[in-house]
Amino acid sequence: MHPLPHSKPDPDDLSVWVERGLALRAGPVDPAEVQRQLKHLRRLEPSARLAVATAGVAARADIPVQDFGACLRDLA
Amino acid sequence: MSLPATLTELQRAIAGGELSAAQAWQLQRERRASLDARWHCLSEPLEGQLAQAASSGPLAGIGLAHKDNFDTWGRSPGCGAGPGRSDPGRPAAWAIEQLRQAGAGHLGALVMAEHACGATSANAHFERCINPLHPEAVVGGSSSGSAVAVAGGLAYGALGTDTAGSVRIPAATCGLVGLKTTQGLIPTQGLSPLAPSLDTIGVLARTVADAAELLKPLAPTLKPSPNTAPQLRAWIPGDWLHAEVARVLGELSSELGAQPVDLQADHQHLSSLADVVLHGEVAQLQRAALLAGRLSAPVQALALPGLLMPPPWLPSALAVRCAELRRFCQTHLPAGSVLLMPALPHPVPDWQTVHPGQSGFVVRELLALHRCMGLINYLGLPALVLPIAKDSRGLPISVQLVGRPFHEHELLAVAAQLQERRFGSAGFKPGWHLLATEN
C-alpha cells in the first residue's frame, strides 16, 4: 500500500491529483484505505475559485452547452 | 504456403488467386495460439460462426482481432479485467459488425489496460504483453493487445479505442500506424464507455494503406478529400522534448517546409480541460463503485481526482468545448492544413520505467506518454501517429498528424507520402511477417 504524502499539494495543479491517483495503482485495493484517502483528499479540496482559474474557464451557469457533434460537422 | 506481410498484400494475393480467402483464414487461425504464447496479447480467442472470415467482400479472408471492450456475438467484453462473459443474444458492437460484413474474421478479443485506464500494458490479470520490436520496450496502452497482435503478426489490423491516447500511444511504441478518428465518426454502440465525451474508436495497422482499408467499412460515408497536398504546419516544443525526438521532428519539418506554429499555451490550457473531462466523466460513471471501495486500482486512479474536483469544473469544461474547437481551428488549423506535432515526447521507454510498482518506476515518465494526446480528444479532431525514424535502439520515433474534423483521408494521404519517403510502402518493419514466423 502506498499512502499519500501528507504535504499539502498545490491546489492549482491538477497533475498533483493525477499523480496521487497514479500512486494508488502500485498496491492492492483495500476499501478502508480508499475511504481514508478520500477523507484525506477531501480536506485538501481546492476552492472553486482556484479550481476555475486552473481550468481557465468561467464556471457560469449561463454558458449554453452546444451540440459538439454539430460543431465538428460545421468545421469539416 | 505463406502469408504476406501486410493486409493490402493479402488482399492482392487473394484477388490474384495466389491463395483463397479460406486458405488465408485457415493459416491465420493455425498460427494464432503459437503467436499468443510468444506475445501474450490475446484475452480470449473467438470461435463462433460469426467470427469466421467470409469468402467474399473487400476484407475477405483477412484476420483481425480487437480490443476487449467491444461487444461481440453473444459475449460481453472482459474489458481487461478478465475473460469475457457469455451473453446469449447480445449483438456485436456496430464497428465489429461492419468489419464482419466486409468479410473480415475476428480472431479474438485482445488484452488491454483494465477498463482502458492506463497508458501502458500493465495489467495484473494477464501476463505482460511483449513488444515484438524489443522485449524490454514498453507496450503502450490502453489498446496494448491491439498493438502487439498487429506488430507481432497475429492480426492484420485491430480496433482500439482512444479516450486520452489509447490508440496512438500503443501504436507509437510498436512502430505502427494508429488512427484516432473524429469524435462521432464511428458509432460507439456496443462499446464499454470510459469517458463518453472523449471515447473514440480507432484502428491500428502495419501500414498507412492497411489503415485506409480498415477505415472504409467503418466510415462508409466519409468522402475522400480532394486536397492531397495540404499546407503543413508544425509544432515542435523546444523545452520539453527529448533531444533525439526534437532533432527528428525538426528535420522532418524542415524537409517538408512546414510552417512553424506555437501551441505551448494552448497545449497546457486544452490539456487541462481534457483532464477535467476525463477524470470528471470516469468519476460520474464509477461513483457508486468508487465510494463502495469496489474499484480496481487503475480505475480508481482515474476516478478519484474526478470525484474530488469541484463540481463546476466538468460542466464548465464541456460548455466551452465548441468555442475552444473553433478558436483552435481558426488559429492553428485553418481549412486545407494539417498539423504535425510530437506523438511521444521521449523515446520509447523500457516497461519497468513506466509500469507502476516496478523498482524503476518514474511517474513523470508515465505521464509523459499522455502529454501530446488528451488535448486532441478534447477537441474531437482526427489524428494519426506514424513512425518516421528509428532511435539509437532501433525503436520507432513517431510523428502525430492532426487534421480538421472528418478529414481522415487528408491525414492518410500525408502519412502515405511520409511513409514512402522514410521506409517505403512496407512500413516501419518490412519483416512484420518474419516476426510472425521466426523461432
Side-chain angles (χ1 to χ4, degrees), chain B residues 206-220:
Chain B
R206 296 177 197 163
T207 68
V208 177
D210 288 5
E213 287 302 306
L214 291 169
L215 184 62
K216 285 178 185 171
L218 296 169

Side-chain angles (χ1 to χ4, degrees), chain A residues 21-22 24-29, chain B residues 114 117 294-303:
Chain A
L22 285 168
L24 301 177
R25 296 180 52 171
V29 183
Chain B
E114 192 171 348
C117 295
R294 285 189 279 107
L295 278 188
S296 61
V299 189
Q300 182 180 293
L302 281 189

Side-chain angles (χ1 to χ4, degrees), chain B residues 116-415:
Chain B
C117 295
T120 74
S121 63
N123 187 325
H125 301 285
F126 296 92
E127 280 193 85
R128 179 174 66 86
C129 284
I130 305 298
N131 189 325
L133 297 178
H134 192 297
E136 292 305 310
V138 72
V139 175
S142 63
S143 309
S144 41
S146 301
V148 172
V150 177
L154 190 143
Y156 276 102
L159 290 180
T161 55
D162 194 317
T163 303
S166 286
V167 162
R168 292 163 287 160
I169 299 169
T173 58
C174 293
L176 298 172
V177 175
L179 174 63
K180 174 219 169 287
T181 53
T182 306
Q183 178 84 37
L185 174 66
I186 302 175
T188 53
Q189 180 190 339
L191 170 70
S192 296
L194 175 61
S197 295
L198 306 175
D199 292 341
T200 316
I201 295 172
V203 299
L204 296 96
R206 296 177 197 163
T207 68
V208 177
D210 288 5
E213 287 302 306
L214 291 169
L215 184 62
K216 285 178 185 171
L218 296 169
T221 58
L222 191 65
K223 294 186 182 121
S225 166
N227 183 10
T228 55
Q231 184 201 19
L232 299 177
R233 298 175 157 225
W235 176 50
I236 305 168
D239 52 347
W240 48 265
L241 278 190
H242 185 280
E244 196 173 7
V245 176
R247 178 183 58 75
V248 166
L249 292 180
E251 287 173 1
L252 178 72
S253 175
S254 302
E255 187 182 322
L256 299 173
Q259 178 189 339
V261 295
D262 182 6
L263 296 189
Q264 188 62 43
D266 278 322
H267 170 260
Q268 195 167 352
H269 171 66
L270 294 168
S271 296
S272 175
L273 290 169
D275 280 342
V276 167
V277 177
L278 174 66
H279 293 288
E281 291 198 344
V282 173
Q284 278 186 345
L285 282 176
Q286 305 293 344
R287 182 183 174 85
L290 178 64
L291 292 175
R294 285 189 279 107
L295 278 188
S296 61
V299 189
Q300 182 180 293
L302 281 189
L304 259 181
L307 188 71
L308 298 160
M309 286 184 322
W313 283 23
L314 177 59
S316 298
L318 290 172
V320 295
R321 200 177 181 198
C322 286
E324 292 289 351
L325 172 62
R326 288 184 192 283
R327 188 181 59 78
F328 185 90
C329 285
Q330 192 173 20
T331 310
H332 303 300
L333 201 53
S337 66
V338 163
L339 175 67
L340 281 66
M341 60 182 277
L344 304 180
H346 300 170
V348 177
D350 284 350
W351 69 274
Q352 291 181 324
T353 308
V354 287
H355 276 212
Q358 296 300 311
S359 58
F361 177 62
V362 181
V363 68
R364 291 196 182 277
E365 282 292 323
L366 176 59
L367 292 171
L369 295 173
H370 285 290
R371 192 157 188 177
C372 303
M373 301 290 162
L375 77 162
I376 305 301
N377 295 79
Y378 178 74
L379 294 170
L381 297 170
L384 182 150
V385 299
L386 159 93
I388 51 163
K390 294 181 180 179
D391 69 14
S392 55
R393 296 197 299 170
L395 291 167
I397 295 176
S398 297
V399 67
Q400 180 169 204
L401 309 176
V402 181
R404 286 181 60 104
F406 305 105
H407 281 238
E408 278 79 356
H409 287 299
E410 214 160 75
L411 296 184
L412 289 164
V414 174

Side-chain angles (χ1 to χ4, degrees), chain A residues 2-6 19-21 23-24 33 36-38 40-41:
Chain A
H2 290 250
L4 295 169
H6 290 288
E19 288 192 25
R20 279 165 179 271
L24 301 177
E33 175 68 4
R36 192 190 69 75
Q37 288 164 348
L38 281 171
H40 176 67
L41 286 170

